[in-house]
Amino acid sequence: MSHRLRGQIDPHTHSTASDGTEPPGVVVRRAAELGLEAVALTDHDTTAGWQEALAAGERHGIRTHVGIEVSAEVPRPDRAVPVHLLAHGVAADSPEVTALLRATVEGRRVRMDRMAALVAEDTGWTPEQVWEHVPPGATPGRPHIADALVAAGVVPDRDAAFAGPLRRGGRYHLHHPVPEAADVVRAVRRSGGVVALAHPLTGVRGRNVTREEVEELADLGLAGIELRHREHDAAERDRSARWAAELDLVPLGSSDYHGSGKPNLLGENTTPLELWEELLRRRG
Ligand code: AMP
Ligand code: FE
Ligand code: FE
Ligand code: ZN
């Protein structure tokens, strides 16, 4: 147990309900073992891991929150910018949010079929063999294609897959439809939840949201912003911290843990509980 994690929450983690490699209950157990005061599970575009995470929280005596990392985009005249929005404090049965997530997951399934067909064409596998790398009920994504490519011996690990055929512009990087960020903020707030912008400055080749675009979301009720994240360097942390101060957004730090699917370690970046409470107080 580390003193560093006392009074801290890790508000952004992933499980096998999306592209993490550990079941929700294991992520929560590890958080408890580490000495975190609280943890939040935020799988991509799904609430599928919530029940198991909450049950594990009871069992292991750690305060457990459940949210969603919602895939979205900020429209621009040329090409939209992808963003990830952390939705917290939403009810699992909120019809509006459920409908929005269902549409995204359906689009991800269609994309997965197309990606699996391409991988099958290149490896001699069947598309079904590629699909076997998506855990049952998980939000299908590029990391699962990466796992199939590792199993097929095409690349040594997920990282290499993302540096190669899964990178933007790579053979297996296909588009899937996502909602507009503004609509996500409105829907989550109408459902009694709160939204924080995840890792705003990690876009490929500097294609990131601008301060003006974040300000527009803040005007709609965006309440928080991630600063301390493995993929934000010192300058990016400073820049997002400035936006937090100027736009009155609650500043967050989080691990974005994916089990063994990424180098991010649980609890490597965290948020003081006082700030977390402040975020939740801003619920719609
Ligand atoms: P998708 O949303 O299906 O296009 O896939 C994007 C996901 O891939 C993100 O949520 C990341 O968690 C994951 N990802 C991005 N880069 C890497 C990497 N180098 N290794 C493992 N996972 C990655
Ligand atoms: Fe992910
Ligand atoms: Fe993300
Ligand atoms: Zn994430």
Side-chain angles (χ1 to χ4, degrees):
M1 288 244 186
S2 124
H3 288 290
R4 184 178 66 83
L5 298 178
R6 207 174 281 162
Q8 301 281 318
I9 179 170
D10 189 340
H12 176 177
T13 68
H14 297 267
S15 75
T16 46
S18 64
D19 57 352
T21 59
E22 294 165 352
V26 174
V27 175
V28 170
R29 173 170 57 77
R30 284 192 193 286
E33 285 167 358
L34 266 178
L36 276 159
E37 201 86 34
V39 65
L41 183 76
T42 51
D43 277 304
H44 298 285
D45 306 310
T46 187
T47 61
W50 284 15
Q51 278 197 356
E52 182 181 326
L54 292 169
E58 296 271 327
R59 198 160 53 247
H60 301 291
I62 177 168
R63 193 170 138 187
T64 302
H65 293 270
V66 287
I68 310 140
E69 185 172 15
V70 183
S71 313
E73 63 186 23
V74 173
R76 280 193 192 161
D78 50 342
R79 185 156 51 95
V81 184
V83 290
H84 283 174
L85 297 171
L86 297 169
H88 280 294
V90 194
D93 58 358
S94 148
E96 200 178 354
V97 173
T98 304
L100 192 141
L101 300 180
R102 195 177 297 135
T104 299
V105 169
E106 183 47 34
R108 281 176 166 281
R109 288 207 188 100
V110 170
R111 176 181 72 150
M112 192 72 188
D113 276 332
R114 290 165 56 215
M115 293 192 291
L118 285 176
V119 172
E121 194 178 310
D122 297 347
T123 58
W125 281 20
T126 63
E128 291 72 29
Q129 282 174 298
V130 180
W131 265 100
E132 277 168 22
H133 292 273
V134 184
T139 305
R142 279 183 288 158
H144 304 116
I145 293 290
D147 292 345
L149 294 173
V150 172
V154 177
V155 289
D157 51 31
R158 279 187 177 184
D159 250 4
F162 273 91
L166 286 175
R167 74 184 182 283
R168 186 170 274 274
R171 174 160 165 83
Y172 307 134
H173 185 191
L174 306 180
H175 178 77
H176 67 91
V178 296
E180 282 192 19
D183 291 333
V184 175
V185 173
R186 290 192 197 98
V188 170
R189 282 178 57 77
R190 276 197 294 261
S191 307
V194 70
V195 182
L197 180 60
H199 49 71
L201 297 173
T202 55
V204 186
R205 282 188 286 277
R207 285 198 88 245
N208 288 306
V209 279
T210 61
R211 200 202 107 112
E212 288 65 37
E213 287 163 337
V214 177
E215 187 167 4
E216 281 173 27
L217 295 176
D219 289 343
L220 294 174
L222 178 76
I225 185 168
E226 233 175 31
L227 327 175
R228 295 181 307 286
H229 183 280
R230 188 182 193 92
E231 289 156 59
H232 272 179
D233 64 22
E236 290 159 347
R237 288 172 195 219
D238 286 350
R239 186 145 154 241
S240 43
R242 229 176 305 129
W243 292 355
E246 293 168 3
L247 303 175
D248 186 30
L249 299 170
V250 177
L252 303 176
S254 44
S255 70
D256 203 355
Y257 181 62
H258 280 70
S260 59
K262 271 186 156 184
N264 310 36
L265 301 174
L266 196 61
E268 69 175 21
N269 285 295
T270 56
T271 301
L273 271 177
E274 304 84 71
L275 287 177
W276 172 254
E277 305 283 3
E278 168 61 22
L279 182 76
L280 291 187
R281 269 197 292 278
R282 298 189 187 190
R283 272 186 278 201

